[in-house]
Amino acid sequence: MDRTACIDLPAFPLQLLLRREPEWRQHPAAVVAEDRPQGKILWVNEKARVGGVLPGMRYAAAQALFPALRAGVVPPSEIDAAVAEGCERLRQFTPFVEPAEGEPGVFWLDARGLIPLWGSLDAWAAQVHTDAVRAGFVASLVVGFSRFGAYAIARSRRGILVLNDARAERDGARAVRLDRLALPPTARDSLAKLGVRTVGEFVDLPLEGVGTRFGAEVHRMHRFASGSLAVPLQPDRPAEPEQVRVILDHPEFQAGSIEAIVAEKLDPMLTAIGKKGRALGELQLVLRFERLGDHVESLKPAAPTLDPKLVMELVRLRLQAVRTLPDGVMEVILVARETDPTPRQERLFAVRGRRDLAAASRALARVRAKLGDDAVVRAVPKDAHLPEAKVAWEPVTDLVEANPRPVDEPHLVRRFHPNPVPLPPRERHEPDGWMLRGLEQGPVMRVLGPYVVSGDWWSNPVHRDYHFAETKKGELLWVYFDREARRWFLQGRVE
């Protein structure tokens, strides 16, 4: 029996924007076609929609209507990369995945023959949906019997639905509203004026008349919905990555010799990638040791490249720290992750900013090559209770132009310890005052507070009385008294 699933990530470009700018989730946000006042708004979230901002408006008009609106551009290259990433993730659950053409965020999955592996289609669907949520997306997943049935129902609801009856799928698809499908807006509005608002009413229209009146795109959708256009699943088949394997005659212990092997094989590898019209996005260097097994190093240039000198510089930085390898290397494997080359600047008189983001990205790539992939991170605010839990660190994958927002009042800049530093207990009698930072900073002259933070009474009770303590030398310290531990801690300082 044919079982087909469809997963829908609605408003996919907007979800990509909010994944890139997570702090915007609490604000009205929109995707614009261009980063200029006359840029057309393409997608909006619910908060923006409630404020009167709708797709099709110009950015300047929308911002005049709703000044708190946040907006950004999601270029086609970013959408294509995210679709490819989505296919790669979904192939963990089924080998056949087809992304919808012209409708990014919609994927069809082959769900045949999965029950022996996963126990049931419900369990399989739950794993697929959980993975999409873990990747930061809102998703709906429907397991049905036909491509259109699963697609139409997935577009009309959220969550997971596993259908066990083809009739139920057909009836469910007929009840889906037409504005949930990717129809041209003019055709959708014309059909609504004729009283055709659901898929069932649409399918009941004569096919020839639909083609004549509404054009080829609507005609094709009608054939797709009625079942007369039975297109089999056309899975996206990723190209085999370029790979070079060198088996050594004798165990090699010198990192310099490994570097020479990589240099010799890298040039023809990049030439082969270039002939495909692609570029190197990441190089995996696999060292197969005699006794220690495989060790993998990943090197990612600042931008897709075919420049062997640039790649070899990263290889050299990564191997520089190791002069003598811990074990004899018996085999060296190079695996290229290919990607589309970065589009070149098309504007003749491009305006250059004061900061060169490309140069900064190259510098960060060198830092990663030298110190490891986790060496370059950025702080991301989190919705948490305690100060040290309000920030998480995530890897920096690319740099974007700074876009500072005007603020009415400057905020305090606080440097804080992720693990608060215990302070010595306060003496009952302090003839020289409270010496928080020793004699060098002098006694505390002024204390502001307390600012109480409490909670977690159901698991690990927290009650902290925060204070700002100013020393005689002018240092402003951020300290708190922990009522549970009965002692003072230094959380940080204010600059």
Side-chain angles (χ1 to χ4, degrees):
M1 180 185 296
D2 285 349
R3 297 307 303 263
T4 301
C6 180
I7 185 167
D8 176 37
L9 312 178
F12 190 56
L14 180 61
Q15 292 206 54
L16 293 178
L17 177 67
L18 296 181
R19 196 170 69 156
R20 189 206 308 161
E21 306 285 352
E23 65 274 17
W24 289 7
R25 292 180 187 275
Q26 309 304 323
H27 301 279
V31 176
V32 292
E34 302 170 88
D35 189 10
R36 62 191 186 93
Q38 292 306 310
K40 187 177 177 182
I41 289 185
L42 302 176
W43 303 89
V44 297
N45 66 358
E46 195 58 33
K47 290 184 175 64
R49 192 179 291 275
V50 169
V53 179
L54 297 173
M57 297 175 70
R58 299 296 173 184
Y59 175 57
Q63 198 173 39
L65 184 67
F66 206 168
L69 180 70
R70 271 75 165 167
V73 177
V74 181
S77 58
E78 183 178 344
I79 296 174
D80 292 344
V83 169
E85 179 192 347
C87 288
E88 190 65 32
R89 292 186 76 101
L90 291 169
R91 272 192 286 270
Q92 301 174 75
F93 305 97
T94 176
F96 303 115
V97 178
E98 177 187 349
E101 187 178 352
E103 208 169 346
V106 174
F107 302 86
W108 281 286
L109 315 174
D110 187 356
R112 294 174 298 175
L114 297 173
I115 293 177
L117 186 61
W118 296 87
S120 69
L121 285 176
D122 297 85
W124 173 77
Q127 290 293 327
V128 175
H129 188 266
T130 301
D131 186 70
V133 173
R134 193 176 294 133
F137 292 108
V138 175
S140 60
L141 174 65
V142 173
V143 183
F145 297 85
S146 68
R147 284 161 58 92
F148 180 79
Y151 159 75
I153 298 174
R155 295 281 293 178
S156 66
R157 65 190 312 280
R158 294 289 173 268
I160 305 169
L161 177 64
V162 179
L163 295 163
N164 297 314
D165 184 353
R167 182 186 295 274
E169 180 193 79
R170 189 165 55 251
D171 294 343
R174 284 182 65 86
V176 172
R177 290 184 0 225
L178 273 187
D179 58 6
R180 296 294 180 181
L181 306 186
L183 285 175
T186 53
R188 182 197 58 210
D189 295 343
S190 298
L191 287 165
K193 289 178 182 176
L194 295 172
V196 180
R197 291 185 171 82
T198 66
V199 170
E201 294 166 346
F202 176 58
V203 170
D204 290 341
L205 294 174
L207 178 61
E208 294 75 14
V210 169
T212 304
R213 182 160 185 174
F214 298 107
E217 189 175 351
V218 181
H219 181 259
R220 188 176 188 281
M221 179 62 82
H222 188 284
R223 292 184 62 202
F224 189 31
S226 64
S228 63
L229 180 65
V231 182
L233 195 72
Q234 301 171 47
D236 178 60
R237 299 183 186 281
E240 288 293 323
E242 285 293 327
Q243 181 172 320
V244 176
R245 184 178 175 195
V246 181
I247 300 175
L248 306 180
D249 295 332
H250 305 286
E252 181 57 64
F253 291 87
Q254 297 300 319
S257 302
I258 301 298
E259 182 184 322
I261 294 171
V262 174
E264 179 187 349
K265 301 298 179 184
L266 185 63
D267 204 16
M269 172 184 261
L270 293 177
T271 302
I273 295 172
K275 286 180 179 176
K276 302 178 195 174
R278 308 272 285 170
L280 179 75
E282 183 178 352
L283 177 70
Q284 284 193 335
L285 171 61
V286 184
L287 302 179
R288 183 156 292 167
F289 289 106
E290 190 175 16
R291 292 179 290 104
L292 299 178
D294 290 352
H295 177 77
V296 182
E297 293 285 350
S298 295
L299 299 156
K300 190 174 181 181
T305 183
L306 292 173
D307 186 350
K309 292 182 180 176
L310 195 152
V311 181
M312 276 312 301
E313 182 186 8
L314 301 182
V315 173
R316 196 171 298 115
L317 285 168
R318 184 59 60 90
L319 294 176
Q320 214 169 40
V322 184
R323 294 184 180 277
T324 303
L325 297 165
D327 189 15
V329 176
M330 298 299 297
E331 194 172 337
V332 178
I333 304 171
L334 300 178
V335 182
R337 188 178 67 78
E338 301 170 23
T339 185
D340 293 327
T342 303
R344 295 185 178 181
Q345 177 60 266
E346 294 177 351
R347 287 182 294 175
L348 184 60
F349 300 107
V351 179
R352 280 185 171 274
R354 292 172 55 194
R355 297 180 176 178
D356 188 342
L357 291 182
S361 297
R362 289 194 295 272
L364 292 180
R366 293 189 190 101
V367 173
R368 272 192 293 266
K370 177 76 175 177
L371 303 176
D373 293 336
D374 297 332
V376 183
V377 294
R378 67 174 177 180
V380 180
K382 293 287 182 184
D383 187 13
H385 198 60
L386 300 177
E388 62 267 28
K390 286 190 173 184
V391 174
W393 300 97
E394 67 177 22
V396 176
T397 54
D398 51 4
L399 291 179
V400 296
E401 196 75 47
N403 186 23
R405 296 186 297 272
V407 293
D408 297 330
E409 295 182 2
H411 293 283
L412 288 179
V413 177
R414 282 173 273 197
R415 292 185 183 274
F416 67 90
H417 299 281
N419 297 314
V421 179
L423 294 172
R426 291 191 67 176
E427 301 290 340
R428 183 176 296 274
H429 302 288
E430 296 173 320
D432 297 325
W434 188 13
M435 307 297 282
L436 253 178
R437 300 281 278 178
L439 294 173
E440 186 180 344
Q441 286 295 326
V444 172
M445 305 302 292
R446 192 163 57 126
V447 177
L448 298 177
Y451 305 96
V452 178
V453 173
S454 63
D456 270 356
W457 52 267
W458 54 92
S459 58
N460 188 18
V462 172
H463 192 122
R464 297 178 179 179
D465 295 335
Y466 276 90
H467 299 76
F468 294 101
E470 186 178 4
T471 66
K472 190 174 183 179
K473 287 291 184 70
E475 193 175 26
L476 194 54
L477 303 174
W478 192 27
V479 299
Y480 68 87
F481 181 73
D482 190 325
R483 293 197 180 188
E484 299 296 328
R486 306 293 303 166
R487 70 178 305 174
W488 288 89
F489 289 84
L490 175 64
Q491 182 77 72
R493 60 186 171 88
V494 179
E495 295 187 342

